[in-house]
Amino acid sequence: MMRDILRNIINDNMSDYEKIQAIHDYICENVSYDYDLYYNGGSPKYSESGWLEGVFFNKQAVCGAFADAFTSMCNIEGIICVTVKGSSKTDPSGHAWNKVYLDGNWYVVDTTFDIMTVKIRTLNELTSYTYFLTSETRHVKEYDVYVYTNIPCNQIYNKYPNSKVLTSSHLPPPIEAFNVAVYLPPVAG
């Protein structure tokens, strides 16, 4: 199934950057976060939402499955990528995201936070790049990382190095600036 998806979203003429973006966009645009599992105290370990089945069959998952899907898809395309896990400093839940190797450096990609950022900021189905090829500054402040701590992600990827268009000062403010924790979808009634 993953290979079929990759054949549809990636071609041989794409750069690694374009492949990473296509994988990010596929996950963010086709899979939703399983708020029911998260808020009802369910265990991802015993739910398809915590596994690749949640991403590829049910189109609903939690962070570990998002991160594992991103890692798997990147690795199939020959892009070095790992799933990183950490425990939150402010609540008992953990979180998973990715570190991906591109053009000689490691960067953070967090599809879960990009999905949530879009829902919080716009309440529309747009693709966010707030946590796409960025440094680990936000994650280190919010999480005690316990795997792949030896892979530093100290910079933000600049697709246009000779341009001042994409610099860290032009990134959207962190999610905390919006004083909203998580968008809760309306309950059907």
Side-chain angles (χ1 to χ4, degrees):
M1 171 153 239
M2 267 191 273
R3 289 186 191 281
D4 292 335
I5 292 167
L6 289 168
R7 277 188 213 104
N8 287 324
I9 64 172
I10 291 177
N11 65 59
D12 292 337
N13 297 324
M14 295 172 86
S15 67
D16 283 350
Y17 171 87
E18 292 169 322
K19 291 176 183 179
I20 292 167
Q21 184 177 15
I23 293 167
H24 170 274
D25 292 356
Y26 173 83
I27 292 170
C28 289
E29 293 169 6
N30 291 282
V31 186
S32 63
Y33 189 83
D34 189 348
Y35 291 101
D36 288 337
L37 180 68
Y38 181 80
Y39 285 111
N40 292 326
S43 171
K45 184 176 177 180
Y46 301 108
S47 169
E48 286 185 353
S49 292
W51 301 92
L52 294 177
E53 289 87 350
V55 173
F56 296 110
F57 295 113
N58 301 337
K59 305 291 188 206
Q60 189 173 35
V62 292
C63 62
F66 284 114
D68 288 344
F70 188 85
T71 295
S72 298
M73 294 173 86
C74 283
N75 290 167
I76 288 170
E77 289 300 318
I79 298 166
I80 300 169
C81 182
V82 296
T83 297
V84 181
K85 297 180 181 180
S87 57
S88 174
K89 294 178 180 179
T90 58
D91 71 48
S93 65
H95 185 52
W97 60 94
N98 299 95
K99 289 185 179 182
V100 63
Y101 192 73
L102 176 64
D103 296 341
N105 293 297
W106 286 94
Y107 299 94
V108 167
V109 174
D110 192 329
T111 53
T112 306
F113 280 4
D114 274 345
I115 289 168
M116 291 179 170
T117 300
V118 168
K119 295 210 182 287
I120 291 168
R121 291 186 183 171
T122 66
L123 304 179
N124 290 321
E125 296 297 326
L126 302 172
T127 303
S128 168
Y129 296 100
T130 304
Y131 294 91
F132 178 72
L133 298 178
T134 188
S135 72
E136 60 191 340
T137 303
R138 292 179 183 168
H139 286 77
V140 170
K141 285 198 295 193
E142 297 172 21
Y143 295 94
D144 291 318
V145 180
Y146 49 87
V147 294
Y148 295 112
T149 56
N150 60 331
I151 300 175
C153 300
N154 299 323
Q155 57 190 354
I156 296 169
Y157 187 81
N158 187 353
K159 183 178 175 184
Y160 308 101
N162 296 325
S163 170
K164 294 183 180 179
V165 175
L166 293 177
T167 65
S168 59
S169 64
H170 290 90
L171 289 176
I175 204 165
E176 304 84 52
F178 291 88
N179 294 322
V180 178
V182 176
Y183 167 71
L184 298 175
V187 177

